[in-house]
């Protein structure tokens, strides 16, 4: 397929464009708000067209990849879908800018629409699903922490403004981990959250979120902090546990009455390669991609509910 790519940041140059090239896909237009920067990066990747006119994304293309700041996700994706293009959108759809998601269809349809929650395709997650078959944990613990303190001129400074980024650490890093929980357990009955450490522009550095289902609770802590990094998901209950630590390492520790087992499933060097491959195959077959828009919208619902709960002093709220 011929692709238009919206965005020219590190994600695009390190993952998206290499994945497209590796799969024999053809990027033909690169969109960005700075046309000179878009032209430089397009020339480096031998992409024929570039510019700041979003109509170029749909001119002579079959599909569009939207990898911009979050505030542009839905408008650009909706325009491409209206033009009859398949669209793969970076996460989250809109974060706390949730009303904008209503501009997107909530099923695969033709053309396709998917969201880039690539961790769903991680080989070790298939092992987790197998381990969870026939076993219902009663609690899940999720912890994420990494350093992020951009200065005024840092290119990622936009992430500190929820009007552009759709939220802070919850929307940026938490969304991936929330998506994994929702993909396995479905809609939670309630969400409770407390947010702290806000940047001047309003985005939070710390988000403590609790999700509850019937018989199951998930406690999540997401932080941007200079403390040692953490990225861990642990499932517990009935004398058994499953631990992914670090999440992206491909390592799974399973413990239970039979003892302890350590499994390793090698992660993909570029996790966007299987993501794009799945999307291309989905469009060709007319099936949903690994994460359809309707499922990704649940993450946005949880993010919005977390903000509502925080405004109510951390009281549980229904997410829809």
């Amino acid at each position: 397929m011929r692709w238009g790519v919206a965005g020219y940041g590190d994600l695009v140059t390190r993952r998206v464009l290499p994945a497209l090239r590796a799969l024999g896909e053809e990027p033909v237009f690169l969109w960005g708000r700075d046309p000179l920067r878009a032209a430089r990066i397009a020339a480096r990747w031998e992409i024929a067209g570039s510019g700041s006119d979003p109509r170029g994304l749909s001119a002579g293309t079959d599909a569009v990849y939207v990898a911009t700041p979050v505030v542009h996700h839905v408008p650009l994706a909706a325009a491409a879908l209206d033009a009859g293009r398949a669209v793969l959108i970076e996460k989250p759809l809109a974060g706390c800018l949730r009303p904008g998601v209503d501009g997107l269809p909530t099923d695969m349809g033709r053309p396709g629409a998917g969201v880039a929650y690539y961790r769903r395709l991680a080989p070790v997650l298939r092992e987790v699903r197998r381990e969870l078959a026939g076993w219902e944990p009663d609690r899940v613990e999720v912890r994420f922490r990494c350093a992020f303190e951009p200065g005024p001129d840092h290119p990622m400074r936009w992430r500190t403004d929820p009007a552009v980024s759709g939220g802070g650490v919850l929307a940026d890093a938490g969304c991936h981990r929330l998506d994994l929980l929702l993909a396995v357990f479905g809609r939670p009955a309630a969400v409770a959250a407390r947010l702290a450490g806000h940047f001047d522009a309003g985005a939070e550095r710390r988000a403590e979120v609790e999700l509850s289902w019937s018989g199951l609770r998930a406690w999540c802590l997401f932080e941007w902090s200079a403390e040692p990094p953490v990225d861990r998901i642990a499932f517990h209950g009935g004398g058994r546990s499953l631990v992914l630590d670090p999440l992206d390492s491909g390592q799974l520790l399973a413990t239970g009455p039979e003892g302890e087992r350590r499994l390793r499933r090698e992660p993909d060097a570029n996790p966007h390669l299987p993501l794009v491959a799945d999307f291309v195959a989905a469009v060709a077959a007319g099936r949903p991609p690994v994460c359809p828009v309707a499922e990704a919208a649940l993450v946005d619902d949880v993010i919005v509910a977390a903000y509502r709960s925080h405004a109510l002093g951390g009281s549980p709220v229904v997410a829809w």
Side-chain angles (χ1 to χ4, degrees):
M1 291 194 296
R2 296 163 300 173
W3 287 75
V5 178
Y8 40 42
D10 191 50
L11 173 70
V12 168
T13 56
R14 282 193 308 109
R15 291 188 177 181
V16 176
L17 291 176
L20 291 172
R21 292 292 197 204
L23 293 167
E25 300 292 293
E26 185 183 4
V28 297
F29 185 86
L30 184 70
W31 177 88
R33 288 170 296 168
D34 180 343
L36 294 179
R37 184 180 175 193
R40 288 196 302 269
I41 294 172
R44 189 184 312 155
W45 284 87
E46 299 181 344
I47 298 171
S50 67
S52 56
D53 186 343
R55 291 174 296 184
L57 291 168
S58 300
T61 63
D62 306 298
V64 173
Y65 197 115
V66 178
T68 62
V70 177
V71 68
H72 301 299
H73 284 181
V74 170
L76 289 174
L81 287 166
D82 287 345
R85 305 298 180 260
V87 179
L88 185 54
I89 313 156
E90 265 304 319
K91 56 75 192 172
L93 275 173
C96 69
L97 306 170
R98 180 64 178 86
V101 177
D102 296 336
L104 287 176
T106 55
D107 59 11
M108 173 67 178
R110 282 186 178 274
V115 179
Y117 283 118
Y118 61 82
R119 284 183 173 86
R120 290 187 176 205
L121 291 166
V124 74
L125 262 296
R126 290 195 288 270
E127 294 295 332
V128 169
R129 287 182 176 274
R130 279 192 280 268
E131 294 283 341
L132 288 173
W135 170 53
E136 294 185 3
D138 54 38
R139 70 186 190 281
V140 182
E141 297 171 2
V142 182
R143 293 206 61 177
F144 171 85
R145 181 171 60 228
C146 77
F148 183 67
E149 192 67 32
D153 298 323
H154 194 284
M156 292 292 103
R157 183 72 177 182
W158 61 268
R159 295 189 182 194
T160 70
D161 182 355
V164 179
S165 63
V169 67
L170 177 58
D172 188 77
C175 69
H176 267 296
R177 290 136 189 96
L178 292 173
D179 176 69
L180 294 180
L181 297 182
L182 300 181
V184 173
F185 301 116
R187 293 175 179 265
V191 178
R194 289 185 181 274
L195 313 176
H198 293 80
F199 289 95
D200 291 342
E204 77 285 347
R205 293 179 176 87
R206 175 187 169 95
E208 186 173 349
V209 182
E210 185 175 61
L211 311 179
S212 58
W213 296 260
S214 177
L216 169 67
R217 289 184 181 273
W219 177 82
C220 310
L221 180 61
F222 309 116
E223 296 177 286
W224 282 331
S225 164
E227 296 296 317
V230 179
D231 198 2
R232 182 177 190 270
I233 299 181
F235 305 83
H236 303 286
R240 300 182 61 185
S241 67
L242 293 174
V243 180
L244 292 159
D245 187 11
L247 173 61
D248 293 330
S249 67
Q251 299 179 87
L252 176 64
L253 173 62
T255 59
E258 70 281 3
E260 181 179 286
R261 291 176 293 118
R262 294 181 181 273
L263 305 173
R264 179 173 175 81
R265 298 294 180 264
E266 196 67 31
D268 293 284
N270 180 356
H272 275 66
L273 199 152
L275 173 77
V276 174
D278 170 82
F279 186 75
V280 170
V283 172
R287 64 164 174 84
V290 67
C291 184
V293 167
E295 295 183 20
L298 297 182
V299 179
D300 288 56
D301 286 335
V302 170
I303 292 170
V304 171
Y307 274 80
R308 286 170 46 217
S309 172
H310 173 71
L312 295 171
S315 297
V317 300
V318 176
W320 21 83

